[in-house]
Amino acid sequence: YNPATERNEFIFISTPDEISLGNSIHQQLTQQYRILNQTAEAEHIRRIGWQLARVSDRKDYQYHFFLVEKDEMNAFTIPGGRIYIFSGLVDKLKSDGQIASVLAHEIGHCAARHTIKKFQAALGYNLIGSIVLGKVGGGAQQIASMSSNMIMNIVFSAYGRQDEYEADRLGIKYLHLAGYDPQASVETLEILQRESKNDGAPLILRSHPHLPDRVIAAKKEIQLIHHPVAR
């Protein structure tokens, strides 16, 4: 039973194995991206993330937040609670609440286990079991033996429509519980919508469908927070 989704789900990858897989993928990401760890901005991102992580429905691992130095509007998460936000996206956001809304959305994917389910579906039980249990040359070696394109295709592959709405709903919930104004989620979606019209779809939107519909759904979710009714 997953308290975030309020559904019984079939997950055959344990939390320790998910963390192991995420550690291996993170090592590959550090070779492809410049991750800022020692800057004040990176520390600020971590503090916002930790505040949100404390109210997440999923607490069986420790969340980690990373600022990637790259002039692209993107954010993503990998198995094991590792969340990445690009400096190009942070530069477009105008407040801590808007930064928090992006991180909260990604935490929503973690809490709903969307990310590990995506890897589970893409790689299959036998291969993923071999990777995380170290039976085929060790987890890190097996990940390294795959093409970078294969790993990145899974990391950045599209979530389904239901998963995106669910992550939005959970993100709004976590914003509220962490003391941020949930309206920041709408502001962020509207910023992304403007950017998609000005410069083509930002990377973060290429796997996030139906943006105008998500704005409408987010506004309805915020109304439910202020005026609760039976779902």
Side-chain angles (χ1 to χ4, degrees):
Y1 177 77
N2 186 337
T5 63
E6 300 179 346
R7 295 189 300 269
N8 291 315
E9 299 169 344
F10 178 66
I11 305 293
F12 52 71
I13 301 171
S14 69
T15 296
D17 289 346
E18 180 182 351
I19 294 170
S20 177
L21 175 61
N23 289 341
S24 296
I25 295 171
H26 177 73
Q27 292 305 311
Q28 184 163 328
L29 287 169
T30 59
Q31 297 173 16
Q32 298 187 27
Y33 295 109
R34 185 183 179 200
I35 297 177
L36 305 175
N37 289 317
Q38 305 302 323
T39 67
E41 189 174 32
E43 177 63 20
H44 188 60
I45 296 294
R46 286 192 291 268
R47 289 183 182 278
I48 293 173
W50 292 334
Q51 188 174 354
L52 294 161
R54 286 198 292 268
V55 299
S56 171
D57 291 293
R58 186 174 187 191
K59 297 187 176 71
D60 58 341
Y61 53 40
Q62 183 177 352
Y63 291 85
H64 300 274
F65 301 90
F66 302 95
L67 176 61
V68 179
E69 186 180 51
K70 194 169 182 65
D71 188 21
E72 293 178 354
M73 295 185 67
N74 201 16
F76 63 94
T77 185
I78 65 172
R82 293 179 182 269
I83 293 170
Y84 305 78
I85 184 169
F86 284 32
S87 59
L89 177 56
V90 174
D91 290 343
K92 294 290 185 179
L93 302 177
K94 308 300 182 185
S95 69
D96 285 357
Q98 292 174 6
I99 294 172
S101 72
V102 174
L103 300 180
H105 176 89
E106 298 301 328
I107 291 172
H109 282 308
C110 294
R113 299 178 188 262
H114 295 156
T115 305
I116 195 60
K117 284 185 281 191
K118 188 165 63 170
F119 272 79
Q120 184 171 282
L123 296 181
Y125 176 79
N126 289 333
L127 179 57
I128 208 117
S130 296
I131 293 171
V132 297
L133 297 177
K135 292 183 178 180
V136 184
Q141 292 87 342
Q142 183 66 14
I143 287 286
S145 72
M146 298 178 186
S147 71
S148 296
N149 285 340
M150 179 179 179
I151 294 299
M152 292 303 102
N153 283 343
I154 298 172
V155 169
F156 293 110
S157 62
Y159 292 104
R161 180 186 178 105
Q162 178 182 344
D163 286 354
E164 286 301 341
Y165 284 127
E166 195 161 54
D168 282 346
R169 177 182 65 80
L170 291 170
I172 289 168
K173 171 185 173 181
Y174 301 151
L175 280 176
H176 176 66
L177 292 176
Y180 291 98
D181 183 355
Q183 185 65 27
S185 63
V186 174
E187 296 167 358
T188 300
L189 290 171
E190 290 175 341
I191 288 172
L192 294 172
Q193 193 169 19
R194 287 197 300 271
E195 291 298 321
S196 68
K197 292 178 181 177
N198 293 337
D199 301 315
L203 283 179
I204 193 174
L205 296 183
R206 294 177 191 174
S207 61
H208 291 55
H210 310 292
L211 184 58
D213 292 341
R214 287 175 61 200
V215 171
I216 293 171
K219 290 179 178 178
K220 290 180 179 178
E221 191 65 34
I222 292 169
Q223 286 297 314
L224 288 175
I225 288 177
H226 296 306
H227 306 284
V229 296
R231 291 187 182 275

